[in-house]
Amino acid sequence: MQLNKAMNRQFIIVGLILFLTLPSAMAQKERIEYLPNFDKRKIHFGYYLGINNNSFEINYHDQSGLDPNSPVNPTPEQDMFLETDASLGFNIGFVIDYRLHNNINLRFEPGLMSNAKTLTFYDANLDAAPNGIPIYGSSTDNPVREVAGTYLHLPLLLKFSTNRLNNIRPYIIGGVSYDYNFSSNEKNGKDNFESEFRMTAHNFMYEVGFGVDFYMYFFKFTPSIRGIFAMNNELVEDTNPIDYPQYSSPWTGPVDFLGTRGIFLNLTFE
């Protein structure tokens, strides 16, 4: 968890450095304006490479005991049932840019993104033993799941740019995306009772970010930072034990919502 927070701080620091150095760069008087007609094109193409630090936002069911539909009623209440430790992943893809206006572009950026996460579960029902017999047996001896994800990332974005100043042009960007999770295990008949963590294969995200276009001699170079946020619940719940339906799964029972939250650092070449 601490590593994940440190990585997020590194992304933020890079963004601050980028924009703190921007004013001095813009103040420089460029004698040569590179690619003067680049932005007059109706459509152009490019590609991007990048890294990501994708984790999860996790919300839990009501724990007060007042909600009869909540499967969780620990005593005392727990603040956390699931801890996520995310590692750095990579992004790669193409850019198709369509100019709508002098300062507005529609962008389609299909690509792949990959990362890995380690999930550690803590649950009040782990020791459930009606009649003195543990209902989960040895299946809870290993509360850790390694979750590797490879996604087809299909974002449709609007890019709002300032007017160009010499060879620099800042912008903000935002939009929605469809993500297909190749490693979801959604159709897997096994669940956490057989040590299989399952997620939905089809997901929808929204993303926002900022960046700067740097016009070089032969191409346009664009570093950018973006945040990505899941709109749907990506968790596939476990099947509760048939003989004891009042006890929820110790892995997925407490979780009401689990969705991707992450930061990208992309380097784009157009």
Side-chain angles (χ1 to χ4, degrees), residues 154-206:
L154 302 175
L156 187 63
L157 309 166
L158 281 174
K159 176 183 177 182
F160 300 89
S161 304
T162 67
N163 291 330
R164 176 173 173 173
L165 179 60
N166 295 322
N167 288 316
I168 295 175
R169 196 178 193 190
Y171 68 87
I172 59 173
I173 193 168
V176 296
S177 68
Y178 164 77
D179 285 21
Y180 180 78
N181 186 352
F182 292 102
S183 311
S184 69
N185 284 327
E186 182 177 17
K187 301 300 183 181
N188 194 333
K190 298 180 179 180
D191 57 20
N192 281 289
F193 290 96
E194 289 80 32
S195 300
E196 292 288 344
F197 184 77
R198 300 180 299 177
M199 297 178 63
T200 56
H202 305 279
N203 303 290
F204 294 92
M205 314 278 177
Y206 69 91

Side-chain angles (χ1 to χ4, degrees), residues 68-130:
N69 297 317
S70 175
V72 183
N73 186 21
T75 304
E77 293 185 13
Q78 292 181 228
D79 294 326
M80 181 181 70
F81 293 93
L82 176 57
E83 180 179 352
T84 306
D85 185 14
S87 61
L88 285 177
F90 71 89
N91 317 318
I92 185 171
F94 297 96
V95 174
I96 303 173
D97 184 290
Y98 183 80
R99 182 171 63 87
L100 300 175
H101 181 269
N102 289 338
N103 301 94
I104 304 175
N105 294 66
L106 179 66
R107 292 168 71 88
F108 181 51
E109 301 183 354
L112 294 174
M113 62 179 182
S114 180
N115 56 60
K117 309 171 189 71
T118 300
L119 306 181
T120 304
F121 292 87
Y122 311 92
D123 188 85
N125 288 332
L126 285 174
D127 299 323

